[in-house]
Amino acid sequence: MEIFEMTIKDLEIIKENLQRDFDEFWNENILREELLCQDRKYIVVKESNEILGFAGIWISPTDVELMNIVIKKDKRNKGIGKKILDEIINLAKSTNLEYLTLEVNEKNVIACKLYKNAGFNVIGIRKKYYNNTDNAIIMKLDLK
Ligand SMILES: CC(C)(COP(=O)(O)OP(=O)(O)OC[C@H]1O[C@@H](n2cnc3c(N)ncnc32)[C@H](O)[C@@H]1OP(=O)(O)O)[C@@H](O)C(=O)NCCC(=O)NCCS
């Protein structure tokens, strides 16, 4: 398994099956815009040229925000999420900013576990943030 910077070429490979293989919340156009943004950085995990997952950050003037982390459905629960998150944390540290923040649906227990294991702390809740129903948990990791 190796991690690379994500490119438009990678998107071209996965775009047809983005929702089926990865996550129903993402679509090609949004991801393309993200990849073209100067202040975003996306990475991919590959094995024998197969894309197993990707993740991205937004480097704002004040902190780094995790935009997304998603592992291919049939490759989950094998430690790949942890691997890509470790790389994202290293990338965030290289910016010299102080915090990596994120929002996660409080019902997403696996993602919450992944982030808590990596040292993120809960700093707030946004009530009914998702579909006016589920709460979002705001988390922060001190990068210094
Ligand atoms: C959240 C996600 C990225 C995790 O990636 P992953 O590769 O499956 O996670 P890992 O294998 O590295 O496991 C991370 C932790 O979750 C646990 N875990 C993973 N899948 C699990 C499952 N099905 N049931 C219970 N625990 C599980 C692991 O045991 C591990 O905890 P541990 O280190 O204490 O053992 C992946 O499930 C995903 O892509 N989900 C859909 C997109 C999403 O929700 N992204 C987060 C948005 S904020």
Side-chain angles (χ1 to χ4, degrees), residues 22-23 25-26 54 66-73 75-84 102-105 108-115 117 130:
F22 290 89
D23 191 348
F25 299 111
W26 278 85
F54 58 90
L66 182 71
M67 302 302 290
N68 184 35
I69 175 164
V70 55
I71 304 303
K72 205 169 181 180
K73 286 177 186 165
K75 304 288 178 183
R76 290 180 189 169
N77 203 8
K78 297 176 190 294
I80 305 170
K82 184 181 175 332
K83 189 178 167 73
I84 202 165
L102 62 85
E103 274 154 16
V104 58
N105 188 319
N108 193 343
V109 287
I110 295 170
C112 289
K113 188 176 181 190
L114 177 69
Y115 302 138
N117 283 352
Y130 299 105

Side-chain angles (χ1 to χ4, degrees), residues 6 15 18 21 25-26 35 42 51-52 64 79 82 91 101 105-106 108 115 123-124 129 135 138 142-143:
M6 188 173 187
K15 68 179 187 189
L18 194 54
D21 291 350
F25 299 111
W26 278 85
L35 291 172
Y42 274 75
I51 294 173
L52 307 183
V64 185
K82 184 181 175 332
L91 205 57
T101 59
N105 188 319
E106 68 176 359
N108 193 343
Y115 302 138
I123 56 160
Y129 185 70
N135 298 337
I138 307 164
D142 195 338
L143 297 169

Side-chain angles (χ1 to χ4, degrees), residues 9-77:
K9 218 170 147 187
D10 295 316
L11 174 62
E12 295 297 332
I13 295 168
I14 57 173
K15 68 179 187 189
E16 299 300 338
N17 299 318
L18 194 54
Q19 298 192 346
R20 189 197 69 188
D21 291 350
F22 290 89
D23 191 348
E24 51 273 24
F25 299 111
W26 278 85
N27 73 49
E28 183 194 342
N29 290 337
I30 296 175
L31 193 49
R32 188 180 302 276
E33 277 176 29
E34 286 284 304
L35 291 172
L36 292 172
C37 258
Q38 290 292 323
D39 53 10
R40 307 288 202 273
K41 282 214 186 315
Y42 274 75
I43 54 176
V44 276
V45 183
K46 292 183 186 176
E47 189 170 57
S48 312
N49 268 338
E50 182 188 2
I51 294 173
L52 307 183
F54 58 90
I57 50 174
W58 168 34
I59 303 164
S60 86
T62 53
D63 60 13
V64 185
E65 192 169 329
L66 182 71
M67 302 302 290
N68 184 35
I69 175 164
V70 55
I71 304 303
K72 205 169 181 180
K73 286 177 186 165
D74 63 352
K75 304 288 178 183
R76 290 180 189 169
N77 203 8

